[in-house]
Structure formats: structure tokens, C-alpha cells
Amino acid sequence: MNKLIPELKKSFVTALWFAFLTFPILVIKVNTVRNSILWRWGNLAAVFVLTMALSYVWRRLLEKRARGERLFDLSGLVPAKLRGIELKSVFAQKKNSRAALAVLLALAVLFPFVAGMYQTNIVTTALMYVILGLGLNIVIGLGGLLQLGYAAFYAVGAYTYGILNTRFGLSFWIALPLGAVLATIFGIILGFPVLRLKGDYLAIVTLGFAEICRIVLENWNDFSSGPSGISQIDRPPFFGIKLSVPQSAIYLYLITLALVVVTVFIVRRLENSRLGRAWEAMREDAVASEAMGVNLTIAKLSAFALGAFWAGMVGVLFAAKTTFINPASFTLMESVLILCIIVLGGMGSTAGVIVGALVIILLPEYLRAFTQYRMLLYGSILVLMMVFRPGGIIRKVRKSYVFKADGQVEGAGHE
Amino acid sequence: MDLNYLLQLFISGMTRGSIYALIALGYTMVYGIVQLINFAHGEIYMIGAFTALIVATVLNMTGMPGIAVFAIAMVVAVVYSAAYGFTMEKIAYKPLRNAPRLSALISAIGMSYFLQNYVLLAQTSDFVSFPRLIPKFRFLEGLGGMLSSTQVIIFLVTAVVMVLLTLLIKFTKIGKAMRATAQDKTMALLVGININQVIAVTFVIGSAMAAVGGVLISSHVGQINFYIGFIAGIKAFVAAVLGGIGSIPGAVLGSFVLGLTESFGTGYISSDYEDVFAFIILVLILIFRPSGLLGKSQKEKI
């Protein structure tokens, strides 16, 4: 009882504060044309009750976080038999993890044949963002270079296919590598002037470059047909056969899935390569890594170039999927969205990026039930996620070595 | 070369610059103290403008003189924006004080989405016209309509705000505490500065200035919607980086450079490429001065 009263008091004060805070915007609605006012007192009452409850939950959760406890204890849901087994140790064995991956892949391949066209399309989009996320992860997660202009490379790929296809009838399969290579070249061109910049200065300059690209696309009518964009881009044909719309949705899904697999494979290999380790060293401490013999110029340029490569490829896919592109698809919000994917998923971790992309892209789609509130919810979920799990959904496990008593070294993933 | 035209572009550039400066100061102060790009800062500016719009419309019906309505609306907007800034810091940034910097950035982006959609749902998605509150000043008629009364007010208010801010930071106790915190948080804590309070005050001041900017530019442009904060926020951030983020005189200088570049660029070259000029000047300056116009380049030690 004596704990309840101060709790109630705290909640009450918070609720009062929020009632004050939301008063003008939520309660008064003015019509400047007819000069009339609508008072909506119901909203005030709703805010009061809601914040009173939420403030209690918020404080409990923060307390739990401070004690380092799990926010929601789910162990009661697991059958007693399995409780002793740690999931991590099961999947650490290659045999088990390979089997799990094979099952997962088989399910993913079968998915479009079971689900409808709408589902297939949104999952294709999500898979495209998986590739974009993995690409940007090279630049930000591994290289530690805060890039806010990733959408520009994406645009390079999309416009490569859009323009070459509608004007010269270039096929998808030639455009795919071509778009990727052109984006890579753009990445290197952008990389040179920003070699000296660090942190937020780098972020804002890359942002600036991306905006310049977008505005040029919007205004250079002869080249990109301006804001009206390029339409009637061909969908990829299946060995010369033109597919119907639902068929090509499935076909594109499978192409994207294949590219995801290729990307994951290459990115994993890159991570453990000499270059990948150089990137991580550069992220941790640029000066120290340079002293240890990492060529920063090459490391930075290659991070930009390889990051851009994937964006260019996805750009081609995007153009082929929507058959219509215009500069509005390549705004700053697009770059920010991809950044959200990798931070929410867990920086630097491949599995995290995949989960992050699926959550960020599919969540708004499935939140459509709450149509008008969905962006509001989306914003709050981003904040809550970061407050209660700042490392992302799946944290990166850093490579480390454990020395055993008998002098042997065991390589294992320990945090 | 038409001198009148040149002067007009100059005045319009200075107007833009003043508004950018009011917003950029909030960015740069917050950055200086917590090294956070407060993405939702533009939204605070938008909320200030909306609050002022609501208050002004309500008061206008009582038949109060325009300039009084303007003053009251401005004060209420400043109070509310400051309150929003304070609350935002408590919810979205304070729990992330020790988290990776990018997490705080994403939290700020989430906050920005939230506030935009909050205003969108509670008010409207359309452009609403902002009442003209500032009467025409008689003495400006001699200038042939080159300088509007709103512009005069913008220059005056901006100048007053800057002087007040300088005095606050240079001579008051909290200003000293802010400078100390910006230099070294741990050391400031050791000498007995209440860091949480300093950070809260920084957010309050920054938000209040953004509200001043929001109200001024809205009465200059004459219409607002829920999305104005985004563009203004980006531009102000560009201005802050241009001047060297974390540096207060830098933010002001950067804002005027940006405002004038945009104004002359659109006036003499092409209005389609308005934003391109802003970013080109940014890229050029940062390539030659990687830490901004007045930013200090940091020596790195291992």
C-alpha cells in the first residue's frame, strides 16, 4: 500500500504533464478558412488515462532494464524437456545449422507458390531491402563510415536499367551487372573527395551528394524525363519467354532470393577476409589501424565501392519489379530507412540485417489494419526498440579466441 | 547588373539565413553537449509553428490587435516547443545516454516520424494558411516594398535572440556549466555539475529558439503543414555542419552562408536547383575544410 501511493502520484503528475503538452494540438482544431474552432475534450481525457497507465509501465520497464533483466520472460513457454538445451550451442554445430538453413531456404523457395501475389510482392520488396541492408552494412557496420546517401547508388542502378531498357532495349540480365558496376564506379567517385571527412561530416556530405543526384534527376528532363519518371520498363523475361504479371512476380521473387543467398555468401566471406578485418580495424580506430599497416585509402574506397555495388544491383531489380521509376523513390528517407534496418537488426551482424529488413519493411505492411496510425506506431516502435535494445534485435557476436588450459586455442564466438 | 535585384536577393538570403540560424543553433548546442544529431529538432520547429497558428486563430476571434496576438502566440509557442523538447529528451534520448551513437540517431528518427504523424492525425495533412499578424510598418514604404515588415521583425528578433544566447552562455552559471559539459562530460561531473540538468536545459533552449524560427518563418511564408520541419531541419543541419558542428558562432555563420548561397543561386542561375546550391557549397567547404568553417580540427592521439 505504501508503495502504491507514490507510484500513483508519479503517474498522475506525468499524465497531467502530457495533458498540458498535448492540449493545443490535440484538443483545439482551428479552421483558418471559416474561422471556426472545434474543441475536442474527449482527446484530453483519453491522453490523461493512457499516459497514466503508460507511465507506470514505462517506469517498470526502465527499472527492469536497469537491473539487466529480460523485459519479457518467455522461458515459461518452452517445454520443460528442451529448457536445458541452449539454442546457440545447437546451432553452433555445422551439421545442425546447415540443416536448418536448408529447411529455411526450401521454405523460402516454396513461399510464392503458396502465398498470393500481394504477399509475394511485399516479401520481394523486403528481400531487396535485405540486400540493400547487407550492402550498407559493409560501409557502416564494418567500415564504420556513416553513409546517408545510399539511395543515390540505388538510383544509379534503377536508372541504368530504366534508361537503357526503354531507349535501347537492353535486357535485364545485361543491365544487372552493368547497373552494379556503374554504381560501384559512382561509389569510388564519391569516395575520393570524402576521404578526409569523418563521422557526421561524412554523413552530411554523402547526404548532400545523394540529394544533388536526386535533384539533377528531377530537373534534367532530356536525360531522366524529370519528376514524371520512366515508365514501361520491361519485366525480366524467362529465357526469352514473356511472362504474365503473376508469373513474373514469382520469377522476380526467386531471382531476388537467389541474389540474397549470393549476397549473404559473399558478405560473410568478405567479413572474414583480409579486407573485412581491415574495415573492422578502421572502424575501431583509424589511426591505430593505419599504424598497423592498414591502407586507409584503399579500405575506405573499397568499402564505398562494394557497398554501392549491391545498391546498384538492387536498383536494377527495383526498376524491373515496379516497371516505373521516378526520383521520388530515391529520397533521403530511403537512405534513412536502410540505415534503420541495419541499426534495428543489429549493426554488423548478417542475421540481424536480414531480420531488421523483414521487420522494417513488413511491419508497416501488416500494420495496414491501423492505416492511419501505422506511421505513428512505427515511430514509437523505433524509439522503444532503441531504448530497450540499443544493440539491435540480433547483436553481432565478435570473433574471439579462448585459450584452454592445455595451451590449445579454440576459435569461438564470444561476446 | 541590376543593383535593386541584387539587394533584394541579399535581403531574402539574410531572411533565410536568420531562420536557419535559429534552428541550427539548437542542433549545434545539442550536438556540442551530447554528440547527437537530433533529427527530431525540425519537428519541434513545426510544433512551434502549429501551436502559434492555433493560439493566433483563437485570439484573432477576440479582436485583439495583430501585434499583441503575435506576441502572445510567440510566447505560447516557445513555451510549448520547449516543453516538447524537454519531454522528448526524457523519453527518447536520456535512456540512451550510454548506448552506441547510432542507436540514439535511430531513436531520434523514430521520434521525428512520431511527432510528424501526431500532428498529421491531430490536425490536418493539408497546408493551412498562417494568419498575417504583423502590421505593415509605415516607415518601410519609402523603400519601395523591398523590405517587408515581417522581415524587419525577423532580423530584430533573431538579433535579440543571438545576443541573449551569447550572454547566457558567456556570463551565467548554467552557461558556464554548458561549456564545461561540452568540453568534457566526466570532468564536469567530477566538479559537481549536474549533467542531466545541463542537457535538459540545452534541449529546452534549443527547442525554444526553433519555435521562434518556426513562428517567424510561418508568418513570413503564410502557410504551414506537418512536413515543414523535415526540410527546415535538414537545411539547418547542413548550416550547422557547414559552420563546424558544435560551434555556436559557426552555426550562425554557416546559416548566413547557406541562406545567401541559396538566394543568389536561385536568383541568378535557376530556381529548379535551389537545394543543389546548398549542398554544393556544403560539399566544397567540407572538402577544403573538413571540420567546417569555424570548427576546430581535432588532433587524434592513441
Side-chain angles (χ1 to χ4, degrees):
Chain A
M1 199 59 197
N2 40 4
K3 250 189 98 180
L4 191 68
I5 299 215
E7 283 294 336
L8 263 177
K9 209 169 139 194
K10 269 187 197 164
S11 291
F12 185 75
V13 172
T14 318
L16 265 187
W17 172 252
F18 273 94
F20 160 75
L21 207 59
T22 50
F23 175 72
I25 289 178
L26 264 183
V27 176
I28 312 172
K29 184 166 175 150
V30 292
N31 187 327
T32 45
V33 184
R34 274 182 293 151
N35 249 351
S36 60
I37 308 175
L38 186 69
W39 298 85
R40 300 168 296 180
W41 294 106
N43 285 345
L44 195 68
V47 163
F48 192 83
V49 175
L50 206 69
T51 43
M52 201 147 163
L54 284 180
S55 113
Y56 179 77
V57 176
W58 176 259
R59 267 175 288 134
R60 285 292 80 73
L61 286 177
L62 276 187
E63 267 172 28
K64 268 194 170 181
R65 190 187 79 146
R67 285 199 302 264
E69 283 174 27
R70 288 196 165 208
L71 296 183
F72 305 102
D73 200 4
L74 296 175
S75 63
L77 296 174
V78 184
K81 253 191 196 168
L82 296 173
R83 220 169 274 173
I85 306 168
E86 256 200 76
L87 220 58
K88 261 186 197 159
S89 62
V90 174
F91 283 109
Q93 289 168 9
K94 254 192 180 151
K95 203 173 59 184
N96 290 339
S97 67
R98 284 218 174 131
L101 276 180
V103 171
L104 207 66
L105 196 63
L107 285 179
V109 170
L110 288 177
F111 175 79
F113 300 101
V114 185
M117 192 172 135
Y118 171 71
Q119 299 289 336
T120 310
N121 270 333
I122 57 175
V123 176
T124 311
T125 310
L127 288 179
M128 282 171 19
Y129 279 93
V130 169
I131 307 180
L132 285 173
L134 288 170
L136 188 62
N137 196 28
I138 295 178
V139 191
I140 299 185
L142 296 178
L145 304 162
L146 185 51
Q147 216 319 356
L148 280 181
Y150 201 56
F153 306 128
Y154 185 33
V156 169
Y159 271 90
T160 306
Y161 183 49
I163 290 171
L164 292 180
N165 178 267
T166 49
R167 293 202 192 148
F168 307 107
L170 195 78
S171 92
F172 173 80
W173 291 108
I174 301 172
L176 195 64
L178 190 66
V181 168
L182 273 179
T184 312
I185 294 169
F186 253 76
I188 295 172
I189 293 173
L190 170 74
F192 267 114
V194 301
L195 277 174
R196 287 170 64 200
L197 301 174
K198 276 188 217 103
D200 302 304
Y201 294 100
L202 179 69
I204 195 78
V205 170
T206 49
L207 183 156
F209 267 121
E211 284 295 289
I212 292 173
C213 286
R214 188 182 62 82
I215 298 165
V216 167
L217 285 176
E218 219 158 62
N219 290 297
W220 192 3
N221 280 320
D222 302 334
F223 175 71
S224 62
S225 18
S228 52
I230 299 170
S231 51
Q232 289 177 328
I233 303 167
D234 287 336
R235 292 195 170 84
F238 183 67
F239 296 110
I241 309 162
K242 242 188 155 151
L243 296 171
S244 70
V245 176
Q247 278 172 333
S248 68
I250 296 178
Y251 186 45
L252 256 171
Y253 172 89
L254 293 176
I255 295 175
T256 317
L257 188 65
L259 282 177
V260 168
V261 174
V262 172
T263 314
V264 170
F265 179 74
I266 294 180
V267 168
R268 293 296 291 244
R269 305 293 296 192
L270 264 177
E271 238 175 83
N272 294 329
S273 70
R274 188 185 173 81
L275 192 59
R277 281 176 283 133
W279 286 332
E280 289 194 80
M282 175 173 76
R283 177 192 64 199
E284 296 301 323
D285 192 324
V287 181
S289 67
E290 199 170 20
M292 297 307 288
V294 172
N295 186 337
L296 281 188
T297 311
I298 287 178
K300 276 187 187 176
L301 283 181
S302 58
F304 275 125
L306 282 167
F309 177 85
W310 301 111
M313 213 167 70
V314 179
V316 177
L317 271 179
F318 173 77
K321 176 173 179 282
T322 54
T323 70
F324 166 73
I325 49 171
N326 73 347
S329 310
F330 309 104
T331 55
L332 170 63
M333 276 341 277
E334 201 64 26
S335 309
V336 169
L337 191 71
I338 306 168
L339 177 67
C340 287
I341 286 174
I342 63 172
V343 178
L344 192 77
M347 276 258 279
S349 123
T350 311
V353 172
I354 296 173
V355 174
L358 295 177
V359 169
I360 292 251
I361 304 303
L362 297 181
L363 194 68
E365 292 294 337
Y366 292 121
L367 280 178
R368 270 189 205 283
F370 313 86
T371 327
Q372 40 177 340
Y373 298 104
R374 82 192 171 109
M375 289 317 280
L376 198 75
L377 284 173
Y378 184 62
S380 1
I381 289 171
L382 281 185
V383 174
L384 291 177
M385 256 320 281
M386 287 302 114
V387 170
F388 293 109
R389 219 181 151 86
I393 300 172
I394 299 179
R395 268 170 246 192
K396 182 176 170 69
V397 181
R398 294 188 68 176
K399 239 196 169 80
S400 62
Y401 296 94
V402 182
F403 287 91
K404 282 185 177 171
D406 55 2
Q408 276 192 329
V409 181
E410 190 189 338
H414 280 272
E415 273 187 59
Chain B
M1 189 68 103
D2 188 352
L3 204 66
N4 248 354
Y5 186 57
L6 183 91
L7 204 63
Q8 207 150 18
L9 289 180
F10 178 75
I11 290 172
S12 117
M14 291 300 278
T15 316
R16 277 165 190 255
S18 309
I19 302 298
Y20 290 154
L22 285 170
I23 314 172
L25 281 170
Y27 264 116
T28 222
M29 282 167 63
V30 166
Y31 188 90
I33 288 185
V34 280
Q35 279 80 44
L36 162 78
I37 305 172
N38 182 9
F39 235 82
H41 192 61
E43 265 53 64
I44 296 290
Y45 150 95
M46 178 265 299
I47 280 176
F50 258 95
T51 313
L53 169 82
I54 290 164
V55 173
T57 320
V58 173
L59 287 180
N60 255 345
M61 285 177 202
T62 62
M64 221 183 255
I67 198 86
V69 172
F70 179 75
I72 295 175
M74 174 74 97
V75 171
V76 175
V78 164
V79 169
Y80 266 97
S81 283
Y84 270 96
F86 175 78
T87 317
M88 182 171 81
E89 195 269 327
K90 279 269 176 295
I91 294 176
Y93 305 141
K94 198 177 168 206
L96 285 168
R97 200 90 10 108
N98 300 316
R101 279 188 47 205
L102 268 179
S103 303
L105 180 68
I106 301 295
S107 181
I109 292 169
M111 207 64 213
S112 158
Y113 274 127
F114 180 86
L115 289 175
Q116 264 177 29
N117 285 279
Y118 157 70
V119 173
L120 166 76
L121 290 172
Q123 295 288 321
T124 170
S125 59
D126 304 327
F127 266 102
V128 275
S129 61
F130 198 90
R132 296 229 170 259
L133 299 167
I134 301 167
K136 285 206 158 60
F137 296 142
R138 190 73 56 74
F139 67 90
L140 290 175
E141 280 166 15
L143 293 171
M146 194 177 282
L147 193 63
S148 78
S149 53
T150 317
Q151 279 168 325
V152 173
I153 296 276
I154 288 179
F155 294 142
L156 270 178
V157 174
T158 312
V160 170
V161 168
M162 309 254 156
V163 170
L164 285 180
L165 182 72
T166 317
L167 292 178
L168 178 101
I169 287 181
K170 282 228 160 117
F171 300 112
T172 62
K173 205 170 164 189
I174 186 76
K176 220 182 224 174
M178 280 160 85
R179 279 182 287 147
T181 314
Q183 270 184 13
D184 191 330
K185 243 186 270 167
T186 325
M187 243 354 252
L189 203 62
L190 281 178
V191 295
I193 292 170
N194 183 347
I195 303 256
N196 282 333
Q197 192 194 351
V198 170
I199 294 174
V201 169
T202 313
F203 268 87
V204 165
I205 296 174
S207 307
M209 284 191 298
V212 174
V215 179
L216 289 174
I217 194 72
S218 310
S219 47
H220 179 59
V221 177
Q223 57 173 7
I224 57 175
N225 79 346
F226 73 98
Y227 203 59
I228 54 167
F230 180 71
I231 310 289
I234 293 291
K235 291 281 182 64
F237 179 52
V238 167
V241 175
L242 195 62
I245 195 154
S247 141
I248 287 175
V252 178
L253 179 66
S255 301
F256 284 117
V257 169
L258 187 71
L260 289 174
T261 314
E262 279 188 359
S263 179
F264 285 119
T266 45
Y268 283 118
I269 306 170
S270 153
S271 61
D272 290 339
Y273 288 95
E274 179 187 328
D275 295 344
V276 170
F277 302 120
F279 288 118
I280 285 178
I281 191 93
L282 172 86
V283 170
L284 284 180
I285 288 181
L286 285 190
I287 286 170
F288 293 108
R289 281 193 67 88
S291 43
L293 287 171
L294 298 183
K296 286 182 216 104
S297 69
Q298 283 171 341
K299 286 268 180 330
E300 263 187 73
K301 287 179 190 160
I302 311 171

